[in-house]
Structures are given as structure tokens and as C-alpha cells.
Amino acid sequence: MAAEILAGIAARMGTVIHGQQQAIRWLLAASASAGHVLLEDVPGTGKTTLAKALARCLDLSFQRVQFTPDLLPSDILGVSIYDPTSQGFFLRRGPIFTDILLADEINRASPRTQSALLEAMAERQVSLERERHGLPAHFMVIATQNPVEYHGTYPLPEAQMDRFSLRFGLGYPSPAEELSILGRDQFLDPLATLAPVAGDEDLLTVREHMRNVRVSNELYRYIIALVGATRQRDGVLLGAGPRASIALLQLGRALAVSDDSGFLTPEHIQELAVPVIAHRLALDPQLRYAGGSGNAVVEELLQQVPAPA
């Protein structure tokens, strides 16, 4: 049943996001495992549409914040306002109090503003005026950034990168997929007619099935060995931490449910290794200047670390 739920959501999202089956699969896995996603790609590839389609199909609340250099933490979290009638203060909640928050061009905001998301992403709560305010159970951040435009941007710190379960791009559509996009009625918003196909109870059903996915001791050791190898690899100044291991396990369980499998396989871990681990690595400048990348390091380790038979 859980696999059918995810398949139905993916099929509906595919009606507005053409040729992005893998991106939809990974985004649904992140939503099911309560993870956050960093979409890193050039403008116009459908990042915002993908986030909106997820919210529509799951019937979840959605807020979008355009990150700019002058954005303040209070613009995201909210602010206390004095009410002369009651002669007291009340909290005007910011857009972070939602199910899905789209942080558009997140690297354009200052480090101070970026840090406003740290507590929310790690603990699903916000501290304001010495009080803690819980966030919705399905809260997730989908952030976007342009990887080729650096003017007026602030690189995300390692602590924030580590809070993203996944980082991936969408890429350009194929000529056939682009033709189907052009063939749509350009005067109609495809999201306007996108009706929900699942809801809160369906997400809870998927998460219940995830808890029942069997994981062998060999796969636990494989995850630990793969993540641990990043800490020993020459040219890597900062390897992946325990959050990467947890994300691999949880996202792998979600993929197993999506594949209607009762157990986690090495193939699930290998599929997720690059988008889960690569963005968490800090590379030595010499390795970067030689053309090295986090993706290449993880792909190399996948060849070196033996997988369970």
C-alpha cells in the first residue's frame, strides 16, 4: 500500500515535471524520511515547480522566501509585536511555520540570516523571545542555489550543509522532454489544476512501513564503512559525519518502501551515496584545483569499499 501511495504521488508530479523521475523519487524519499533537500542547478530547470508540486500533491502548506542580502532572520522566523489593546506582545509568525519552506537562492542571504534555519532544520523548533515554538510534523526545507553564479552570494557553512539530507540537481531536459513542455498550453499554469493525491495519513502510513524495512548487520557496517572512508581519504579536510550515516539509512528505507521491498539493499545505499555524502565533504584546495569534487570522491569510494554480497 505504501509503495502505491508513493507511486501515485510520483505519477501526479510527473505530469508537471517532465523527465525528472529520479529527482521526484529522491524528493519523495526525503519527504517520507523528514529530511531537507538542497536543489543546486542553473535557473529555469524547474526547481521551484518541483517544490510546489510536492506540496500540492501531498496537500501540505507551502511558503516561499526569496533570499536576498538584506533579508533578516525575523523575516523568516517572525517577530513579537506590541498590541496596545491588550497591552502585551504577540508573536507574528514568519513563513517558517509551514510544512514545506522553499528557501529560494539561499546562498544570497547573509550568514546571519542563513543561521536562522539551523535550529529549525535540526530540531524542528524555533526559539523566539526565550520561548520554543514547535514546527509541523512534516516540516521540511527545500532550498535552491545557483552553482555557477557567485556575485553577491555567501557560501553555505559546513554546519548548514550537513543539515541537508540530499543535494542534487535537475539538469536540462532532453529534446523530447523539452518538446513536450513546449507542447503544453503556455497560457495555463500546470500547477493550478494539480489536485492532491495523498495527505497526512498517507505520509504516516509510508513512515510506518519504513520502520518495518529490515536492515541486516552487514548493511549497517557497509554504511558506516562508506561514510567512515571519507574521513580517511587523502585530500578531504572534513569527512562526512554521523548525520550522513543516518540520512543514508533513513532515505534508503524510503527507497525500499518505494520499490515495494521489505528489506534494504546495497543498491539503495549506492544510489543515494553521492547526493547524501558529497556535499558534506570539505576538500583540500589542491584537490579542487586539480579538478577533484565531492561527487568524484564518493564515486571512487563506492568502487573501493566492498558491498555486502
Side-chain angles (χ1 to χ4, degrees):
M1 180 180 179
E4 295 174 357
I5 292 172
L6 293 175
I9 300 169
R12 183 61 59 88
M13 292 178 65
T15 62
V16 295
I17 306 292
H18 294 275
Q20 297 293 347
Q21 287 78 13
Q22 185 181 66
I24 292 172
R25 172 178 166 87
W26 288 349
L27 188 63
L28 285 176
S31 178
S33 58
H36 309 290
V37 176
L38 177 61
L39 299 176
E40 187 176 83
D41 216 324
V42 296
T45 52
K47 300 184 294 295
T48 300
T49 303
L50 182 66
K52 287 183 176 180
L54 177 68
R56 292 280 181 91
C57 289
L58 290 175
D59 197 23
L60 298 176
S61 59
F62 175 86
Q63 293 286 342
R64 173 181 177 176
V65 177
Q66 188 67 43
F67 277 56
T68 57
D70 60 348
L71 191 74
L72 298 175
S74 58
D75 295 327
I76 302 172
L77 305 180
V79 63
S80 291
I81 298 177
Y82 180 73
D83 180 13
T85 303
S86 63
Q87 296 187 348
F89 288 88
F90 70 94
L91 174 64
R92 174 171 290 175
R93 296 190 169 199
I96 200 168
F97 291 92
T98 187
D99 291 312
I100 297 179
L101 175 69
L102 176 61
D104 210 6
E105 294 187 300
I106 188 173
N107 56 335
R108 288 198 174 278
S110 68
R112 178 190 176 194
T113 301
Q114 290 180 18
S115 66
L117 293 174
L118 293 179
E119 180 184 15
M121 294 175 70
E123 303 173 43
R124 282 178 170 73
Q125 67 177 25
V126 171
S127 295
L128 289 170
E129 303 294 338
R130 300 181 182 178
E131 293 185 6
R132 295 178 180 176
H133 305 269
L135 294 172
H138 302 308
F139 172 76
M140 71 179 295
V141 174
I142 301 176
T144 73
Q145 67 174 6
N146 184 344
V148 297
E149 189 174 358
Y150 300 107
H151 181 69
T153 62
Y154 302 86
L156 272 63
E158 286 77 6
Q160 186 158 17
M161 292 293 281
D162 193 39
R163 282 166 168 77
F164 286 105
S165 301
L166 286 165
R167 182 195 66 178
F168 59 90
L170 304 183
Y172 291 115
S174 68
E177 292 160 354
E178 196 160 0
L179 182 62
S180 68
I181 294 172
L182 293 178
R184 291 191 313 213
D185 190 338
Q186 300 304 310
F187 297 99
L188 295 177
D189 179 7
L191 290 170
T193 58
L194 197 63
V197 292
D200 182 76
E201 291 299 322
D202 296 302
L203 269 181
L204 294 178
T205 297
V206 172
R207 290 176 181 175
E208 181 63 32
H209 278 72
M210 285 173 57
R211 284 191 283 270
N212 295 329
V213 171
R214 297 188 299 275
V215 184
S216 67
N217 290 330
E218 289 78 7
L219 268 179
Y220 281 123
R221 287 192 285 268
Y222 180 52
I223 292 172
I224 293 171
L226 191 58
V227 174
T230 65
R231 306 165 194 165
Q232 311 298 326
R233 207 275 192 185
D234 292 338
V236 176
L237 300 179
L238 179 66
R243 275 201 185 102
S245 302
I246 295 170
L248 272 177
L249 176 62
Q250 292 299 94
L251 289 162
R253 288 179 184 270
L255 290 190
V257 170
S258 179
D259 293 338
D260 201 15
S261 172
F263 52 90
L264 187 66
T265 68
E267 288 75 21
H268 291 134
I269 303 304
Q270 291 161 355
E271 176 184 343
L272 291 164
V274 171
V276 169
I277 299 175
H279 65 282
R280 306 172 193 266
L281 307 182
L283 305 185
D284 184 281
Q286 290 185 344
L287 180 59
R288 286 191 283 107
Y289 295 150
S293 66
N295 287 15
V297 168
V298 178
E299 289 169 356
E300 176 187 305
L301 294 177
L302 283 170
Q303 300 299 320
Q304 295 176 354
V305 178

